[in-house]
PDB file of all heavy atoms in Angstrom:
ATOM      1  N   SER A   9     -48.919 -88.567-183.774  1.00  0.00           N
ATOM      2  CA  SER A   9     -49.102 -89.940-184.151  1.00  0.00           C
ATOM      3  C   SER A   9     -48.534 -90.836-183.086  1.00  0.00           C
ATOM      4  O   SER A   9     -49.074 -91.919-182.826  1.00  0.00           O
ATOM      5  CB  SER A   9     -48.495 -90.218-185.556  1.00  0.00           C
ATOM      6  OG  SER A   9     -47.414 -91.106-185.443  1.00  0.00           O
ATOM      7  N   GLY A  38     -40.805 -95.318-182.828  1.00  0.00           N
ATOM      8  CA  GLY A  38     -40.195 -95.875-184.042  1.00  0.00           C
ATOM      9  C   GLY A  38     -41.157 -95.931-185.182  1.00  0.00           C
ATOM     10  O   GLY A  38     -40.830 -95.598-186.279  1.00  0.00           O
ATOM     11  N   TYR A  44     -43.261 -91.135-190.808  1.00  0.00           N
ATOM     12  CA  TYR A  44     -42.859 -89.860-191.290  1.00  0.00           C
ATOM     13  C   TYR A  44     -41.910 -89.993-192.495  1.00  0.00           C
ATOM     14  O   TYR A  44     -42.038 -89.269-193.483  1.00  0.00           O
ATOM     15  CB  TYR A  44     -42.138 -89.027-190.201  1.00  0.00           C
ATOM     16  CG  TYR A  44     -41.606 -87.706-190.655  1.00  0.00           C
ATOM     17  CD1 TYR A  44     -42.469 -86.782-191.037  1.00  0.00           C
ATOM     18  CD2 TYR A  44     -40.255 -87.520-190.739  1.00  0.00           C
ATOM     19  CE1 TYR A  44     -42.036 -85.575-191.546  1.00  0.00           C
ATOM     20  CE2 TYR A  44     -39.783 -86.331-191.208  1.00  0.00           C
ATOM     21  CZ  TYR A  44     -40.626 -85.338-191.615  1.00  0.00           C
ATOM     22  OH  TYR A  44     -40.185 -84.140-192.072  1.00  0.00           O
ATOM     23  N   ASP A  50     -48.928 -86.533-193.550  1.00  0.00           N
ATOM     24  CA  ASP A  50     -49.360 -85.156-193.928  1.00  0.00           C
ATOM     25  C   ASP A  50     -50.812 -84.952-193.553  1.00  0.00           C
ATOM     26  O   ASP A  50     -51.422 -85.770-192.907  1.00  0.00           O
ATOM     27  CB  ASP A  50     -49.119 -84.954-195.432  1.00  0.00           C
ATOM     28  CG  ASP A  50     -49.631 -86.088-196.241  1.00  0.00           C
ATOM     29  OD1 ASP A  50     -50.281 -86.940-195.642  1.00  0.00           O
ATOM     30  OD2 ASP A  50     -49.415 -86.146-197.448  1.00  0.00           O
ATOM     31  N   GLY A  57     -57.351 -82.257-187.390  1.00  0.00           N
ATOM     32  CA  GLY A  57     -58.567 -81.495-187.104  1.00  0.00           C
ATOM     33  C   GLY A  57     -59.811 -82.235-187.399  1.00  0.00           C
ATOM     34  O   GLY A  57     -60.802 -82.186-186.542  1.00  0.00           O
ATOM     35  N   TRP A  68     -75.311 -87.623-184.854  1.00  0.00           N
ATOM     36  CA  TRP A  68     -76.228 -87.359-185.965  1.00  0.00           C
ATOM     37  C   TRP A  68     -76.141 -88.414-187.036  1.00  0.00           C
ATOM     38  O   TRP A  68     -77.123 -88.898-187.533  1.00  0.00           O
ATOM     39  CB  TRP A  68     -75.885 -85.922-186.546  1.00  0.00           C
ATOM     40  CG  TRP A  68     -76.678 -85.621-187.767  1.00  0.00           C
ATOM     41  CD1 TRP A  68     -77.979 -85.116-187.772  1.00  0.00           C
ATOM     42  CD2 TRP A  68     -76.249 -85.771-189.094  1.00  0.00           C
ATOM     43  NE1 TRP A  68     -78.320 -84.969-189.071  1.00  0.00           N
ATOM     44  CE2 TRP A  68     -77.297 -85.375-189.869  1.00  0.00           C
ATOM     45  CE3 TRP A  68     -75.100 -86.215-189.692  1.00  0.00           C
ATOM     46  CZ2 TRP A  68     -77.290 -85.400-191.246  1.00  0.00           C
ATOM     47  CZ3 TRP A  68     -75.061 -86.229-191.083  1.00  0.00           C
ATOM     48  CH2 TRP A  68     -76.145 -85.816-191.831  1.00  0.00           C
ATOM     49  N   LYS A  75     -82.157 -94.616-189.266  1.00  0.00           N
ATOM     50  CA  LYS A  75     -83.395 -94.319-190.075  1.00  0.00           C
ATOM     51  C   LYS A  75     -83.301 -95.012-191.412  1.00  0.00           C
ATOM     52  O   LYS A  75     -84.265 -95.668-191.849  1.00  0.00           O
ATOM     53  CB  LYS A  75     -83.542 -92.795-190.236  1.00  0.00           C
ATOM     54  CG  LYS A  75     -84.220 -92.093-189.123  1.00  0.00           C
ATOM     55  CD  LYS A  75     -84.621 -90.699-189.462  1.00  0.00           C
ATOM     56  CE  LYS A  75     -83.483 -89.803-189.802  1.00  0.00           C
ATOM     57  NZ  LYS A  75     -83.801 -88.392-190.040  1.00  0.00           N
ATOM     58  N   SER A  76     -82.136 -94.884-192.056  1.00  0.00           N
ATOM     59  CA  SER A  76     -82.108 -95.454-193.414  1.00  0.00           C
ATOM     60  C   SER A  76     -82.020 -96.981-193.378  1.00  0.00           C
ATOM     61  O   SER A  76     -82.460 -97.650-194.347  1.00  0.00           O
ATOM     62  CB  SER A  76     -80.943 -94.875-194.271  1.00  0.00           C
ATOM     63  OG  SER A  76     -79.785 -94.709-193.556  1.00  0.00           O
ATOM     64  N   ILE A  78     -83.922 -98.798-191.456  1.00  0.00           N
ATOM     65  CA  ILE A  78     -85.324 -99.188-191.428  1.00  0.00           C
ATOM     66  C   ILE A  78     -85.883 -99.069-192.852  1.00  0.00           C
ATOM     67  O   ILE A  78     -86.581 -99.983-193.304  1.00  0.00           O
ATOM     68  CB  ILE A  78     -86.085 -98.359-190.397  1.00  0.00           C
ATOM     69  CG1 ILE A  78     -85.544 -98.676-189.031  1.00  0.00           C
ATOM     70  CG2 ILE A  78     -87.577 -98.689-190.497  1.00  0.00           C
ATOM     71  CD1 ILE A  78     -85.995 -97.764-187.952  1.00  0.00           C
ATOM     72  N   ALA A  81     -84.603-101.879-194.968  1.00  0.00           N
ATOM     73  CA  ALA A  81     -85.289-103.140-194.606  1.00  0.00           C
ATOM     74  C   ALA A  81     -86.657-103.287-195.193  1.00  0.00           C
ATOM     75  O   ALA A  81     -87.048-104.340-195.643  1.00  0.00           O
ATOM     76  CB  ALA A  81     -85.333-103.234-193.061  1.00  0.00           C
ATOM     77  N   ALA A  90     -88.250-101.357-205.203  1.00  0.00           N
ATOM     78  CA  ALA A  90     -86.994-100.681-205.401  1.00  0.00           C
ATOM     79  C   ALA A  90     -87.067 -99.796-206.700  1.00  0.00           C
ATOM     80  O   ALA A  90     -87.507-100.316-207.707  1.00  0.00           O
ATOM     81  CB  ALA A  90     -85.867-101.656-205.427  1.00  0.00           C
ATOM     82  N   VAL A  97     -73.919 -85.821-207.034  1.00  0.00           N
ATOM     83  CA  VAL A  97     -74.029 -85.003-205.860  1.00  0.00           C
ATOM     84  C   VAL A  97     -72.829 -84.012-205.855  1.00  0.00           C
ATOM     85  O   VAL A  97     -71.693 -84.479-206.006  1.00  0.00           O
ATOM     86  CB  VAL A  97     -74.018 -85.820-204.532  1.00  0.00           C
ATOM     87  CG1 VAL A  97     -74.104 -84.914-203.351  1.00  0.00           C
ATOM     88  CG2 VAL A  97     -75.140 -86.800-204.529  1.00  0.00           C
ATOM     89  N   SER A 100     -68.961 -79.819-201.401  1.00  0.00           N
ATOM     90  CA  SER A 100     -68.396 -78.448-201.179  1.00  0.00           C
ATOM     91  C   SER A 100     -67.057 -78.589-200.385  1.00  0.00           C
ATOM     92  O   SER A 100     -66.575 -77.588-200.026  1.00  0.00           O
ATOM     93  CB  SER A 100     -69.418 -77.568-200.473  1.00  0.00           C
ATOM     94  OG  SER A 100     -69.617 -78.087-199.143  1.00  0.00           O
ATOM     95  N   GLN A 101     -66.531 -79.752-200.156  1.00  0.00           N
ATOM     96  CA  GLN A 101     -65.340 -79.882-199.339  1.00  0.00           C
ATOM     97  C   GLN A 101     -64.087 -79.390-200.138  1.00  0.00           C
ATOM     98  O   GLN A 101     -64.051 -79.481-201.345  1.00  0.00           O
ATOM     99  CB  GLN A 101     -65.027 -81.368-198.977  1.00  0.00           C
ATOM    100  CG  GLN A 101     -65.949 -81.831-197.857  1.00  0.00           C
ATOM    101  CD  GLN A 101     -67.324 -82.114-198.338  1.00  0.00           C
ATOM    102  OE1 GLN A 101     -67.493 -82.536-199.430  1.00  0.00           O
ATOM    103  NE2 GLN A 101     -68.333 -81.820-197.553  1.00  0.00           N
ATOM    104  N   THR A 103     -60.684 -80.101-199.032  1.00  0.00           N
ATOM    105  CA  THR A 103     -59.551 -81.003-199.012  1.00  0.00           C
ATOM    106  C   THR A 103     -59.975 -82.427-199.448  1.00  0.00           C
ATOM    107  O   THR A 103     -61.128 -82.783-199.469  1.00  0.00           O
ATOM    108  CB  THR A 103     -59.004 -81.138-197.571  1.00  0.00           C
ATOM    109  OG1 THR A 103     -60.082 -81.648-196.761  1.00  0.00           O
ATOM    110  CG2 THR A 103     -58.545 -79.825-197.042  1.00  0.00           C
ATOM    111  N   VAL A 104     -58.971 -83.184-199.889  1.00  0.00           N
ATOM    112  CA  VAL A 104     -59.269 -84.565-200.366  1.00  0.00           C
ATOM    113  C   VAL A 104     -59.798 -85.381-199.202  1.00  0.00           C
ATOM    114  O   VAL A 104     -60.709 -86.195-199.390  1.00  0.00           O
ATOM    115  CB  VAL A 104     -57.975 -85.159-200.959  1.00  0.00           C
ATOM    116  CG1 VAL A 104     -58.239 -86.596-201.409  1.00  0.00           C
ATOM    117  CG2 VAL A 104     -57.533 -84.367-202.189  1.00  0.00           C
ATOM    118  N   ALA A 105     -59.196 -85.254-198.002  1.00  0.00           N
ATOM    119  CA  ALA A 105     -59.660 -85.955-196.861  1.00  0.00           C
ATOM    120  C   ALA A 105     -61.136 -85.706-196.590  1.00  0.00           C
ATOM    121  O   ALA A 105     -61.881 -86.612-196.242  1.00  0.00           O
ATOM    122  CB  ALA A 105     -58.798 -85.656-195.612  1.00  0.00           C
ATOM    123  N   THR A 109     -64.179 -88.308-196.736  1.00  0.00           N
ATOM    124  CA  THR A 109     -65.067 -88.523-195.602  1.00  0.00           C
ATOM    125  C   THR A 109     -66.512 -88.436-196.030  1.00  0.00           C
ATOM    126  O   THR A 109     -67.360 -89.180-195.607  1.00  0.00           O
ATOM    127  CB  THR A 109     -64.736 -87.461-194.530  1.00  0.00           C
ATOM    128  OG1 THR A 109     -63.376 -87.519-194.235  1.00  0.00           O
ATOM    129  CG2 THR A 109     -65.480 -87.797-193.236  1.00  0.00           C
ATOM    130  N   PHE A 113     -69.249 -91.273-195.731  1.00  0.00           N
ATOM    131  CA  PHE A 113     -70.539 -91.133-194.971  1.00  0.00           C
ATOM    132  C   PHE A 113     -71.704 -91.517-195.875  1.00  0.00           C
ATOM    133  O   PHE A 113     -72.646 -92.185-195.427  1.00  0.00           O
ATOM    134  CB  PHE A 113     -70.687 -89.675-194.542  1.00  0.00           C
ATOM    135  CG  PHE A 113     -69.942 -89.350-193.273  1.00  0.00           C
ATOM    136  CD1 PHE A 113     -68.954 -90.179-192.778  1.00  0.00           C
ATOM    137  CD2 PHE A 113     -70.267 -88.177-192.596  1.00  0.00           C
ATOM    138  CE1 PHE A 113     -68.336 -89.861-191.610  1.00  0.00           C
ATOM    139  CE2 PHE A 113     -69.553 -87.837-191.397  1.00  0.00           C
ATOM    140  CZ  PHE A 113     -68.621 -88.692-190.948  1.00  0.00           C
ATOM    141  N   THR A 115     -71.681 -93.697-198.305  1.00  0.00           N
ATOM    142  CA  THR A 115     -71.723 -95.125-198.449  1.00  0.00           C
ATOM    143  C   THR A 115     -72.150 -95.791-197.159  1.00  0.00           C
ATOM    144  O   THR A 115     -72.773 -96.841-197.134  1.00  0.00           O
ATOM    145  CB  THR A 115     -70.332 -95.672-198.839  1.00  0.00           C
ATOM    146  OG1 THR A 115     -69.857 -94.889-199.934  1.00  0.00           O
ATOM    147  CG2 THR A 115     -70.459 -97.142-199.342  1.00  0.00           C
ATOM    148  N   LEU A 116     -71.805 -95.147-196.011  1.00  0.00           N
ATOM    149  CA  LEU A 116     -72.063 -95.765-194.736  1.00  0.00           C
ATOM    150  C   LEU A 116     -73.581 -95.776-194.457  1.00  0.00           C
ATOM    151  O   LEU A 116     -74.002 -96.774-193.793  1.00  0.00           O
ATOM    152  CB  LEU A 116     -71.328 -94.937-193.631  1.00  0.00           C
ATOM    153  CG  LEU A 116     -71.106 -95.599-192.286  1.00  0.00           C
ATOM    154  CD1 LEU A 116     -70.357 -96.880-192.420  1.00  0.00           C
ATOM    155  CD2 LEU A 116     -70.221 -94.659-191.403  1.00  0.00           C
ATOM    156  N   PRO A 118     -76.975 -96.864-195.259  1.00  0.00           N
ATOM    157  CA  PRO A 118     -77.505 -97.806-196.228  1.00  0.00           C
ATOM    158  C   PRO A 118     -78.545 -97.183-197.147  1.00  0.00           C
ATOM    159  O   PRO A 118     -79.207 -96.207-196.736  1.00  0.00           O
ATOM    160  CB  PRO A 118     -78.252 -98.882-195.348  1.00  0.00           C
ATOM    161  CG  PRO A 118     -77.643 -98.637-193.966  1.00  0.00           C
ATOM    162  CD  PRO A 118     -77.266 -97.237-193.902  1.00  0.00           C
ATOM    163  N   THR A 120     -77.658 -95.678-199.992  1.00  0.00           N
ATOM    164  CA  THR A 120     -76.895 -94.906-200.899  1.00  0.00           C
ATOM    165  C   THR A 120     -75.459 -95.431-200.936  1.00  0.00           C
ATOM    166  O   THR A 120     -74.849 -95.610-199.914  1.00  0.00           O
ATOM    167  CB  THR A 120     -76.837 -93.388-200.485  1.00  0.00           C
ATOM    168  OG1 THR A 120     -76.487 -93.307-199.151  1.00  0.00           O
ATOM    169  CG2 THR A 120     -78.199 -92.720-200.762  1.00  0.00           C
ATOM    170  N   ASN A 130     -65.282 -82.134-208.026  1.00  0.00           N
ATOM    171  CA  ASN A 130     -65.944 -82.239-206.746  1.00  0.00           C
ATOM    172  C   ASN A 130     -67.359 -82.811-206.862  1.00  0.00           C
ATOM    173  O   ASN A 130     -68.261 -82.317-206.219  1.00  0.00           O
ATOM    174  CB  ASN A 130     -66.049 -80.891-206.045  1.00  0.00           C
ATOM    175  CG  ASN A 130     -64.884 -80.760-205.023  1.00  0.00           C
ATOM    176  OD1 ASN A 130     -64.010 -81.545-204.984  1.00  0.00           O
ATOM    177  ND2 ASN A 130     -64.972 -79.730-204.218  1.00  0.00           N
ATOM    178  N   ARG A 153     -72.314 -80.634-192.842  1.00  0.00           N
ATOM    179  CA  ARG A 153     -71.769 -81.139-191.615  1.00  0.00           C
ATOM    180  C   ARG A 153     -70.320 -81.617-191.854  1.00  0.00           C
ATOM    181  O   ARG A 153     -69.419 -81.462-191.012  1.00  0.00           O
ATOM    182  CB  ARG A 153     -72.573 -82.285-191.026  1.00  0.00           C
ATOM    183  CG  ARG A 153     -73.809 -81.736-190.331  1.00  0.00           C
ATOM    184  CD  ARG A 153     -74.593 -82.860-189.719  1.00  0.00           C
ATOM    185  NE  ARG A 153     -75.915 -82.383-189.270  1.00  0.00           N
ATOM    186  CZ  ARG A 153     -76.128 -82.112-187.967  1.00  0.00           C
ATOM    187  NH1 ARG A 153     -75.252 -82.280-187.071  1.00  0.00           N
ATOM    188  NH2 ARG A 153     -77.342 -81.634-187.583  1.00  0.00           N
ATOM    189  N   GLU A 158     -64.143 -80.242-191.590  1.00  0.00           N
ATOM    190  CA  GLU A 158     -62.875 -79.831-192.165  1.00  0.00           C
ATOM    191  C   GLU A 158     -62.294 -78.645-191.423  1.00  0.00           C
ATOM    192  O   GLU A 158     -61.048 -78.497-191.378  1.00  0.00           O
ATOM    193  CB  GLU A 158     -63.025 -79.439-193.636  1.00  0.00           C
ATOM    194  CG  GLU A 158     -63.005 -80.545-194.600  1.00  0.00           C
ATOM    195  CD  GLU A 158     -63.014 -79.986-196.003  1.00  0.00           C
ATOM    196  OE1 GLU A 158     -63.763 -79.032-196.270  1.00  0.00           O
ATOM    197  OE2 GLU A 158     -62.279 -80.511-196.791  1.00  0.00           O
ATOM    198  N   GLN A 161     -59.289 -73.994-191.662  1.00  0.00           N
ATOM    199  CA  GLN A 161     -57.908 -73.912-192.172  1.00  0.00           C
ATOM    200  C   GLN A 161     -57.726 -74.718-193.448  1.00  0.00           C
ATOM    201  O   GLN A 161     -58.562 -75.640-193.758  1.00  0.00           O
ATOM    202  CB  GLN A 161     -56.874 -74.248-191.152  1.00  0.00           C
ATOM    203  CG  GLN A 161     -56.481 -75.705-191.076  1.00  0.00           C
ATOM    204  CD  GLN A 161     -57.575 -76.602-190.437  1.00  0.00           C
ATOM    205  OE1 GLN A 161     -58.675 -76.218-190.342  1.00  0.00           O
ATOM    206  NE2 GLN A 161     -57.153 -77.803-190.103  1.00  0.00           N
TER     207      GLN A 161
END
Side-chain angles (χ1 to χ4, degrees):
Chain A
S9 115
Y44 175 67
D50 48 5
W68 175 80
K75 277 195 297 188
S76 42
I78 294 168
V97 179
S100 65
Q101 284 75 34
T103 59
V104 178
T109 309
F113 279 13
T115 314
L116 199 55
T120 48
N130 260 9
R153 283 181 190 259
E158 275 188 317
Q161 91 288 15

